[in-house]
């Protein structure tokens, strides 16, 4: 694609201010859009993609099954070229005054704010989520840049005296070039959660969004150009994990990796980088999160809140959030009441094609369907939902799965153990507090947990025993960007957010000076 063609396509994408306009634009093109990498401050096509159709990946709209765009599957030598662009930009950017870096990132947040409806529209089309959900995530992407743009203006360090002999103090500097890899479920929000602190703390980067949802990352390159981000400071390349992602994280020129995605991919990244001991790794991986519902949370004064929070945690974004509470455990005395009220609430509030979007891909739809077929084979009780029909790419009219509520699922069933990552929830009774804790912690994952109770002592007593990096009490998905974000066990390693992101993207040295 020529520069003029790329500019025209960008202009067409930016011109869509409603879902109908974006849909009409897709229908009016004779072939899908072709996305280009953003390297060295400009859009370029990897050399292989110009001559070989096999180096392209087609992305489909989840709500219709129609192709939207193609993207390059960037090959290792082109990955290395992007890394070298970031490497060349690092000496200057790492020494750029914090006030100047802050101003540039603040400008990025302003430009996102000015174009937030366009970003929300393309995010909804590309990922399958509802437009309302996409708007929430674009707002959070804006906050990522505004927060870190000001955070770096108020840093502090530590100094200590050693018995009048020496003064010691900590000094931090940018760690280098980072690989930033984000998943397909919250594309813009989670990609900017990595880019904003990386650039704020003086690092440069090569970012790779999921090949399933790359449109808003493509648009983001244009925002960086307009905000005045120097060439090479942030590079965005497209491709799959096996080819593009593997080449990116394994490169010896990469000083660190920030990855959000599946646990198996996280394990692969650790293997690929095992011989590079000094490489910074921040891995936010999968979750199979519990929601604990105690009897006192079902009294009339708070019952509606309990049902609402449990439903939101189960079905927001079609259950395609690593923090979703997909295992609900309910105190036996209120179990039947909860199942009845929860089912009625979900049936009314979470309506397919209205308040519930499509799942992200045909492959993911098939995965969820297989779990629902297994639930039927295992004689689980379906209170809502069921397995969708088998589809193939030619006949797919969208990847739609009804919100599904299951009971009578065995503890050792794959449905209780595996991260399904869709609109599927199980409900199981428990007898007492200790059993609730044991059931909640009986998982290889430890990302998040939701605790629903009115007992203040229990909030701490139970909350502090849950093996989860994040515990929400009577709420869900509340975030303060300075708090540590990350999981325990197979849900990852490292924390991000505020000073914890500073730890990821900087190196620290201690200087010892004579006291005289």
């Amino acid at each position: 694609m020529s520069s003029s063609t790329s500019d025209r396509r960008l202009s067409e994408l930016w011109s869509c201010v409603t879902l109908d306009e974006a849909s009409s634009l897709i229908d009016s093109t004779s072939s899908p859009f072709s996305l280009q990498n953003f390297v060295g401050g400009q859009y370029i096509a990897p050399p292989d993609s110009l001559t070989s159709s096999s180096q392209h990946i087609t992305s489909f709209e989840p709500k219709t099954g129609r192709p939207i765009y193609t993207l390059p599957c960037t090959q290792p030598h082109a990955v290395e070229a992007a890394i070298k662009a970031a490497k060349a930009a690092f000496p200057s950017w790492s020494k750029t005054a914090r006030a100047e870096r802050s101003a540039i990132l603040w400008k990025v947040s302003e430009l996102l704010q000015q174009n937030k409806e366009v970003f929300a529209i393309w995010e909804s089309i590309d990922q399958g989520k509802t437009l309302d959900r996409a708007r929430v995530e674009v707002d959070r992407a804006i906050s990522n840049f505004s927060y870190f743009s000001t955070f770096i203006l108020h840093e502090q360090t530590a100094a200590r005296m050693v018995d009048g002999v020496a003064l010691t103090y900590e000094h931090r500097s940018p760690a280098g070039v980072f690989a930033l890899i984000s998943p397909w479920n919250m594309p813009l929000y989670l990609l900017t959660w990595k880019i904003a602190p990386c650039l704020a703390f003086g690092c440069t980067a090569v970012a790779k969004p999921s090949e399933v949802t790359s449109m808003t990352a493509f648009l983001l390159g244009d925002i960086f150009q307009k905000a005045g981000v120097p060439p090479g400071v942030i590079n965005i390349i497209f491709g799959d994990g096996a080819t593009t992602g593997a080449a990116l994280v394994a490169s010896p020129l990469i000083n660190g990796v920030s990855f959000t995605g599946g646990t198996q991919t996280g394990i692969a990244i650790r293997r690929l980088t095992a011989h590079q001991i000094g490489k910074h790794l921040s891995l936010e991986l999968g979750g199979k999160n519990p929601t604990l519902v105690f009897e006192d949370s079902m009294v009339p004064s708070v019952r509606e809140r309990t049902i609402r929070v449990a439903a939101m945690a189960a079905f927001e974004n079609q259950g395609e959030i690593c923090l979703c509470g997909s295992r609900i455990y309910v105190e036996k005395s209120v179990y039947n009441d909860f199942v009845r009220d929860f089912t009625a609430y979900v049936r009314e509030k979470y309506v397919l094609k209205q308040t519930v979007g499509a799942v992200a891909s045909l492959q993911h739809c098939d995965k969820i369907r297989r779990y629902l077929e297994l639930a039927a084979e295992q004689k689980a009780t379906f209170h809502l939902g069921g397995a969708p029909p088998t589809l193939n790419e030619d006949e797919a009219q969208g990847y739609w799965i009804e919100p599904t509520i299951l009971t009578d699922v065995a503890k050792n069933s794959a449905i209780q153990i595996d991260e399904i990552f869709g609109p599927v929830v199980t409900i199981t009774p428990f007898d007492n507090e200790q059993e609730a804790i044991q059931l909640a912690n009986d998982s290889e994952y430890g990302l998040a947990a939701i605790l629903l109770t009115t007992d203040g002592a229990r909030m701490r007593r139970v909350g502090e025993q849950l093996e989860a990096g994040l515990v929400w009490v009577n709420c869900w998905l509340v975030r303060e960007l300075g708090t540590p974000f990350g999981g325990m066990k197979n849900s990852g390693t490292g924390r991000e957010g505020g000073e914890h992101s500073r730890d990821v993207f900087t190196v620290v040295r201690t200087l010892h000076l004579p006291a005289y």
Side-chain angles (χ1 to χ4, degrees), residues 218-239:
F218 176 69
L219 292 173
L220 200 56
D222 199 35
I223 294 291
F224 291 138
Q225 279 184 328
K226 292 172 179 174
V229 177
V233 168
I234 176 65
N235 307 274
I236 303 170
I237 61 174
F238 302 107

Side-chain angles (χ1 to χ4, degrees), residues 274-296:
H275 62 291
Q276 299 166 329
I277 301 299
K279 185 170 285 191
H280 289 211
L281 288 184
S282 177
L283 307 176
E284 192 272 286
L285 308 177
K288 184 73 172 179
N289 309 302
T291 297
L292 302 183
V293 181
F294 285 91
E295 180 182 39
D296 57 6

Side-chain angles (χ1 to χ4, degrees), residues 351-470:
V351 180
L352 201 65
K353 301 187 180 183
Q354 296 180 31
T355 53
V356 177
V359 299
S361 68
L362 178 60
Q363 294 74 20
H364 192 55
C365 187
D366 285 342
K367 171 191 167 182
I368 299 169
R369 175 181 52 76
R370 288 192 294 271
Y371 278 106
L372 294 177
E373 290 173 346
L374 176 63
E377 292 170 10
Q378 294 179 347
K379 308 301 182 186
T381 300
F382 285 73
H383 295 265
L384 199 64
T390 302
L391 300 172
N392 62 53
E393 216 159 72
D394 294 332
E395 66 184 11
Q397 298 297 310
Y399 318 133
W400 301 97
I401 295 182
E402 294 274 1
T404 301
I405 300 171
L406 301 171
T407 60
D408 305 312
V409 179
K411 180 181 176 181
N412 61 353
S413 169
I415 299 158
Q416 289 276 34
I417 295 170
D418 297 350
E419 184 184 32
I420 298 175
F421 214 65
V424 180
V425 68
T426 60
I427 310 178
T428 305
F430 65 82
D431 287 316
N432 53 56
E433 190 174 288
Q434 281 309 116
E435 185 187 15
I437 295 169
Q438 185 274 324
L439 288 168
N441 292 339
D442 186 20
S443 173
E444 67 175 293
Y445 300 106
L447 184 56
I450 301 98
L451 174 56
L452 301 173
T453 179
T454 60
D455 185 332
R458 178 184 285 134
M459 292 176 190
R460 290 192 60 187
R461 186 173 62 246
V462 174
E464 292 174 6
Q465 294 182 70
L466 294 175
E467 295 170 355
L470 303 100

Side-chain angles (χ1 to χ4, degrees), residues 130-200:
T130 66
L131 184 57
D132 284 344
R133 179 67 220 172
R135 288 171 176 148
V136 169
E137 293 175 19
V138 174
D139 280 338
R140 291 194 171 194
I142 294 166
S143 296
N144 289 338
F145 282 102
S146 60
Y147 174 84
F148 282 105
S149 72
T150 57
F151 181 91
I152 57 172
L153 299 178
H154 308 284
E155 282 198 86
Q156 60 185 12
T157 189
R160 302 172 182 86
M161 291 296 297
V162 184
D163 295 332
V165 175
L167 169 69
T168 71
Y169 71 94
E170 298 171 10
H171 174 265
R172 288 181 179 271
S173 58
V177 178
F178 269 75
L180 309 176
I181 303 177
S182 57
W184 49 256
N185 61 320
M186 303 167 90
L188 183 69
Y189 173 32
L190 293 179
L191 185 61
T192 58
W193 174 242
K194 300 177 183 305
I195 293 175
C198 180
L199 271 55

Side-chain angles (χ1 to χ4, degrees), residues 10-11 14 38 104 107-108 111 115 219-229:
L10 276 168
S11 178
W14 286 125
F38 182 77
I104 291 172
K107 182 64 175 177
V108 171
L111 290 170
N115 295 280
L219 292 173
L220 200 56
D222 199 35
I223 294 291
F224 291 138
Q225 279 184 328
K226 292 172 179 174
V229 177

Side-chain angles (χ1 to χ4, degrees), residues 13 20 39 93 105 147 188 200 234 242 416 458 485 495 505:
L13 295 174
D20 286 343
V39 177
W93 183 250
L105 294 181
Y147 174 84
L188 183 69
I234 176 65
Q416 289 276 34
R458 178 184 285 134
F485 183 92
R495 295 290 186 273
F505 294 109

